[in-house]
């Protein structure tokens, strides 16, 4: 049987706390407890208690797997039993009692020869080490159905994990087997027209991790009808605004790059085009500046003149190989008008 105590009992043993009194129905662990495996009976002391932590901090971020870090002396009780991938059960707060955390790393504490630093991750974070064995596609699925599909396709079975949700929305699901299973739960929705393929991205809400039980709430937390006092309940408060993707105006611009000519002397069979046209056209140029005149409509042509504003040019019939013999208004022969740039 693990040792527990109420907040009042702990306060009597360890001194007054800055926090308000907790209800006597809340039973905290007297000490963190070490287990060889996450599935070990948590009603026992497992490999033994760890009463000598110099510090142990649990960090919780909304809808992300909680993590922790502690400093333990090398001469502390049961230090010799500590090993990576083992599990420590401790309290993360009055709403996160008796939670199990995987030991991810044990390293020598910087600046100390007598302690080690232990990095922890909530056991639900084990999903981040797994993938699914096939892509998952569902139509009009609920959050529970989406999670059940993930659970059924895990590359390593975890029969103890459970999931509940009070979110009623439905969504099409397209989970990729390239995404770690843990991310299929916790990846938040991102900017853009397509929803992130995860429980949070598709259904919204918030995740709360309670050992192997994962709760998916439309809105987590509870109203305790208590004002928060700065300096007592709130030690510090900060806000960060990211305007990296915020736009207040649009400055449009375009760039032009002329395409390579599609026709050359070699890549077009000019003999396949008719050359016995009888029509004769007259062109009057009304643009600004001058219009270049070339001796050929394909790459390698040479400018042989310019048509000025208001000048008339008469085009004659095509004679051979795509060339033409134009005639100007005065009967002069030998000028070709064309546009250049891939036409």
């Amino acid at each position: 049987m693990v040792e527990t105590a109420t907040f009042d009992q702990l306060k009597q043993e360890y001194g007054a706390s800055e926090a308000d009194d907790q209800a006597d129905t809340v039973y905290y662990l007297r000490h963190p407890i070490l287990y060889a495996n996450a599935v070990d009976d948590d009603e026992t002391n497992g490999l033994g208690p760890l009463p000598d932590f110099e510090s142990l901090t649990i960090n919780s971020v909304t809808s992300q797997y909680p993590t922790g870090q502690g400093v333990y002396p090398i001469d502390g009780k049961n230090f010799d039993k500590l090993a990576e991938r083992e599990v420590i059960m401790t309290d993360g707060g009055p709403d996160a009692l008796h939670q199990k955390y995987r030991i991810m790393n044990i390293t020598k504490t910087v600046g100390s020869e007598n302690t080690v630093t232990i990095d922890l991750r909530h056991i639900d974070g084990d999903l981040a080490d797994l993938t699914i064995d096939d892509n998952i596609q569902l139509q009009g699925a609920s959050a529970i159905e989406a999670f059940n599909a993930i659970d059924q396709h895990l590359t390593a079975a975890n029969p103890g994990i459970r999931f509940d949700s009070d979110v009623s929305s439905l969504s099409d699901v397209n989970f990729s087997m390239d995404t770690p299973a843990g991310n299929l739960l916790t990846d938040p929705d991102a900017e853009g027209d397509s929803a992130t393929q995860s429980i949070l991205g598709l259904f919204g809400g918030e995740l709360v991790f309670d050992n192997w039980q994962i709760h998916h709430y439309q809105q987590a937390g509870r109203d305790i009808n208590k004002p928060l006092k700065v300096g007592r309940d709130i030690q510090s408060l900060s806000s960060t605004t990211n305007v990296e993707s915020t736009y207040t105006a649009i400055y449009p611009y375009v760039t032009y790059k002329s395409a390579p000519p599609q026709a050359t002397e070699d890549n077009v069979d000019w003999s396949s085009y008719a050359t016995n046209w009888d029509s004769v056209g007259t062109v009057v140029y009304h643009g600004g500046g001058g219009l270049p005149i070339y001796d050929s409509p394909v790459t390698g042509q040479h400018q042989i003149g310019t048509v000025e504003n208001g000048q008339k040019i008469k085009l004659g019939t095509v004679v051979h190989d795509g060339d033409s013999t134009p005639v100007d208004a005065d009967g002069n022969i030998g000028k070709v008008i064309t546009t250049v740039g891939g036409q």
Side-chain angles (χ1 to χ4, degrees):
M1 185 72 177
V2 299
E3 293 185 68
T4 61
T6 66
F7 189 83
D8 279 342
Q9 290 173 327
L10 293 175
K11 187 167 64 174
Q12 292 174 6
E13 295 178 23
Y14 297 100
S17 169
E18 292 184 353
D20 285 345
D21 294 350
Q22 303 289 337
D24 284 344
T25 55
V26 178
Y27 289 90
Y28 294 91
L29 290 172
R30 286 188 176 276
H31 312 291
I33 301 174
L34 180 66
Y35 296 93
N37 305 289
V39 296
D40 291 350
D41 185 0
D42 55 16
E43 293 296 324
T44 71
N45 281 316
L47 298 177
L50 299 171
D52 299 319
F53 265 105
E54 294 186 5
S55 65
L56 178 57
T57 303
I58 301 299
N59 301 303
S60 296
V61 178
T62 302
S63 296
Q64 299 299 308
Y65 304 112
T67 60
Q69 188 175 80
V71 175
Y72 204 79
I74 60 176
D75 59 355
K77 187 174 182 178
N78 293 316
F79 169 80
D80 58 325
K81 299 177 182 178
L82 286 169
E84 293 181 359
R85 306 302 299 178
E86 290 180 344
V87 172
I88 292 177
M89 184 170 72
T90 189
D91 297 322
D95 294 323
L97 299 176
H98 307 186
Q99 297 296 300
K100 293 182 178 180
Y101 297 85
R102 180 82 61 190
I103 298 177
M104 305 304 296
N105 294 292
I106 301 177
T107 56
K108 183 179 293 185
T109 303
V110 176
S112 173
E113 297 291 332
N114 302 315
T115 60
V116 294
T117 298
I118 303 172
D119 294 319
L120 305 171
R121 185 183 66 188
H122 196 277
I123 56 171
D124 284 332
D126 287 355
L127 290 172
D129 301 327
L130 303 176
T131 58
I132 53 177
D133 57 19
D134 196 4
N135 296 328
I136 297 174
Q137 293 183 333
L138 302 172
Q139 290 185 338
S142 66
I144 292 178
E145 290 171 331
F147 178 83
N148 288 342
I150 295 173
D151 189 29
Q152 292 168 7
H153 286 279
L154 288 175
T155 50
N158 189 337
I161 198 166
R162 302 180 303 279
F163 181 89
D164 61 69
S165 175
D166 66 5
V167 178
S168 59
S169 60
L170 303 178
S171 179
D172 293 339
V173 173
N174 187 22
F175 291 155
S176 171
M177 60 187 298
D178 296 328
T179 304
N183 294 74
L184 293 178
L185 270 74
T186 62
D187 278 355
D189 197 13
E191 296 180 1
D193 296 331
S194 300
T196 300
Q197 288 294 318
S198 68
I199 296 292
L200 288 183
L202 295 175
F203 303 98
E206 298 175 336
L207 297 172
V208 175
F209 303 98
D210 183 8
N211 288 326
W212 290 123
Q213 180 71 54
I214 302 175
H215 303 287
H216 179 221
Y217 297 122
Q218 185 68 52
Q219 184 175 1
R222 55 190 174 87
D223 188 355
I224 61 174
N225 295 315
K226 170 188 172 182
L228 298 179
K229 300 177 181 179
V230 177
R232 180 176 180 179
D233 302 296
I234 301 177
Q235 297 298 319
S236 64
L237 180 64
S238 62
S239 175
T240 301
T241 301
N242 185 349
V243 297
E244 181 178 352
S245 299
T246 301
Y247 302 92
T248 59
I250 297 177
Y251 182 78
Y253 68 92
V254 296
T255 58
Y256 172 76
K257 182 178 181 181
S258 177
Q262 299 176 1
T264 67
E265 291 181 323
D266 300 325
N267 69 1
V268 174
D269 181 12
W270 296 105
S271 64
S272 65
Y273 291 88
T275 60
N276 58 346
W277 299 333
D278 296 328
S279 301
V280 175
T282 299
V283 176
V284 180
Y285 179 63
H286 292 291
L291 180 67
I293 304 175
Y294 297 90
D295 61 359
S296 171
V298 297
T299 300
Q301 73 273 79
H302 302 88
Q303 184 174 341
I304 59 174
T306 303
V307 181
E308 302 299 333
N309 188 301
Q311 184 178 357
K312 293 183 179 180
I313 295 292
K314 183 180 291 185
L315 299 179
T317 59
V318 176
V319 291
H320 65 85
D321 291 343
D323 294 336
S324 63
T325 304
V327 181
D328 65 15
D330 299 324
N332 297 321
I333 299 176
K335 296 182 178 179
V336 175
I337 297 178
T338 185
T339 57
V340 181
Q343 304 300 322

